[in-house]
């Protein structure tokens, strides 16, 4: 009986590792459904694999231990932490005014922001520059909206972003009011990082033509790390995250960034805005 249970556990863990190798990230709920076992069973499997150093546990699932270089597919990331992305995206819409010229970067949080923006009155008459294929397709699918979209072109990443010299050259010829970017990780005191160095360079190019830079990221990104720095804290105007951020990280981030917005995860509460008084 025990041997059989152990065998089944080993098989599940082998499958989890296989999924990580192909996708870069897995979600507990999806694995639970796929394998026909409880979420608690999957959590125990992930905990066991984490103890062995074979994966890294994150909120709602796990990522490969090679996450410094690996970027999960857009389809995988879009299913993770959706509630957090949603409240952050809704708050970010208030930073756009009708007629603005904005840029939206790659990644799923930026995509959710684009969804909410395009459903709002704030999007009327805007021009939207993007290196995100899903965001461009979202605008293209709209009807009766006065939105102009400019796509950078470039090399496609696993996260469906367009990057590289072609993208950077297009970006350099333009000027925008505000850029909205996601991030793979937040490192104190370094700044904001991505696994893909070409994507980091394109994000830097977008920031260089913007009057204002806004980072959209959930609280779990403060416990991650990555390879390529694309922005230091003093290059960013506003960071919008959720109020699940640990108090120590809140205090440290407030000391480094101009504006930190903590958006409540529970509906009906007012967002708390903490502005830094240090530095610039």
């Amino acid at each position: 009986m025990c041997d059989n249970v152990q065998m089944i556990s080993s098989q599940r863990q082998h499958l989890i590792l296989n999924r990580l190798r192909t996708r870069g990230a897995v979600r507990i709920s999806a694995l639970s459904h796929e394998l026909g076992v409880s979420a608690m069973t999957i959590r125990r499997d992930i905990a066991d694999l984490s103890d062995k150093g074979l994966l890294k546990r994150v909120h709602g699932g796990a990522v490969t231990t090679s996450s410094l270089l690996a970027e999960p597919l857009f389809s995988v990331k879009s299913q993770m932490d959706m509630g957090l992305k949603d409240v952050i995206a809704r708050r970010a819409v208030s930073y756009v005014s009708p007629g603005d010229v904005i840029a939206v970067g790659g990644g799923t949080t930026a995509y959710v922001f684009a969804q909410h923006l395009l459903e709002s009155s704030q999007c009327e008459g805007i021009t939207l520059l993007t290196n995100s294929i899903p965001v461009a397709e979202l605008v293209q699918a709209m009807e009766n909206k006065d939105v102009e979209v400019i796509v950078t072109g470039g090399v496609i990443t696993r996260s469906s972003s367009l990057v590289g010299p072609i993208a950077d050259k297009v970006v350099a010829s333009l000027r925008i009011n505000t850029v909205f970017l996601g991030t793979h990780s937040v490192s104190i005191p370094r700044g904001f990082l991505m696994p893909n160095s070409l994507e980091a360079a394109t994000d830097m190019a977008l920031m260089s033509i913007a009057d204002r830079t806004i980072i959209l990221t959930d609280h779990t990104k403060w416990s991650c790390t990555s390879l390529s720095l694309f922005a230091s804290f003093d290059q960013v105007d506003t960071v919008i995250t959720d109020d699940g951020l640990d108090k120590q990280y809140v205090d440290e981030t407030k000391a480094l960034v101009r504006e930190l917005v903590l958006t409540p995860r529970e509906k009906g509460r007012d967002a708390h805005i903490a502005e830094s008084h240090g530095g610039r």
Side-chain angles (χ1 to χ4, degrees):
M1 181 71 168
C2 292
D3 289 342
N4 187 48
V5 171
Q6 180 60 42
M7 179 191 66
I8 295 172
S9 175
S10 298
Q11 290 175 335
R12 284 197 309 269
Q13 292 180 17
H14 180 70
L15 184 141
I16 290 170
L17 292 175
N18 279 338
R19 295 291 183 272
L20 279 174
R21 276 190 285 271
T22 57
R23 301 174 182 173
V26 293
R27 189 165 177 80
I28 289 172
S29 58
L31 288 170
S32 174
H33 177 75
E34 179 181 358
L35 299 178
V37 296
S38 69
M40 183 61 69
T41 297
I42 298 299
R43 287 191 185 93
R44 283 196 296 264
D45 287 336
I46 287 176
D48 188 29
L49 291 168
S50 177
D51 290 342
K52 295 174 182 175
L54 298 176
L55 55 73
K56 179 179 178 181
R57 299 162 70 181
V58 297
H59 180 74
V63 296
T64 174
T65 52
S66 60
S67 59
L68 281 172
L69 297 172
E71 178 76 358
L73 293 171
F74 183 91
S75 59
V76 174
K77 293 198 297 179
S78 64
Q79 300 302 314
M80 303 186 74
D81 300 319
M82 278 305 300
L84 301 182
K85 298 178 197 295
D86 194 65
V87 296
I88 292 165
R90 288 180 184 275
R91 183 65 181 85
V93 169
S94 65
Y95 285 78
V96 181
S97 298
D100 275 354
V101 180
I102 68 168
V104 178
T108 54
T109 306
Y111 175 79
V112 176
F113 159 70
Q115 286 181 309
H116 286 296
L117 174 62
L118 295 173
E119 292 170 356
S120 74
S121 60
Q122 310 292 102
C123 76
E124 295 296 336
I126 68 170
T127 298
L128 192 157
L129 169 67
T130 188
N131 69 323
S132 166
I133 294 175
V135 169
E137 291 176 338
L138 189 65
V139 179
Q140 186 66 25
M142 291 172 52
E143 296 181 1
N144 302 320
K145 288 285 187 178
D146 181 24
V147 177
E148 180 180 359
V149 62
I150 302 171
V151 183
T152 64
V155 178
I156 303 175
T157 69
R158 285 174 57 85
S159 61
S160 298
S161 298
L162 296 165
V163 301
I166 294 174
D168 299 348
K169 185 174 182 179
V170 170
V171 170
S173 66
L174 302 171
R175 188 74 192 176
I176 59 175
N177 300 126
T178 308
V179 59
F180 297 86
L181 299 172
T183 183
H184 186 266
S185 62
V186 183
S187 175
I188 295 176
R190 295 183 65 204
F192 306 89
L193 301 99
M194 302 293 291
N196 187 316
S197 59
L198 289 177
E199 188 164 7
T202 299
D203 282 351
M204 291 170 67
L206 288 168
M207 290 173 56
S208 72
I209 66 164
D211 296 328
R212 179 173 60 173
T213 296
I214 298 178
I215 301 291
L216 312 177
T217 183
D218 66 76
H219 74 272
T220 66
K221 303 301 175 61
W222 271 258
S223 58
C224 298
T225 188
S226 199
L227 178 68
S228 300
L229 184 75
F230 69 88
S232 58
F233 281 97
D234 62 0
Q235 293 176 302
V236 171
D237 296 282
T238 300
V239 176
I240 303 178
T241 187
D242 61 274
D243 63 359
L245 186 61
D246 184 84
K247 186 180 184 305
Q248 178 182 344
Y249 288 140
V250 170
D251 294 340
E252 292 174 342
T253 304
K254 283 169 59 178
L256 294 168
V257 75
R258 295 182 180 94
E259 181 184 43
L260 175 65
V261 180
L262 301 177
T263 305
R265 290 166 292 175
E266 298 84 10
K267 293 181 179 179
R269 289 173 50 195
D270 293 331
H272 170 64
I273 301 179
E275 296 188 11
S276 169
H277 298 288
R280 295 163 57 185

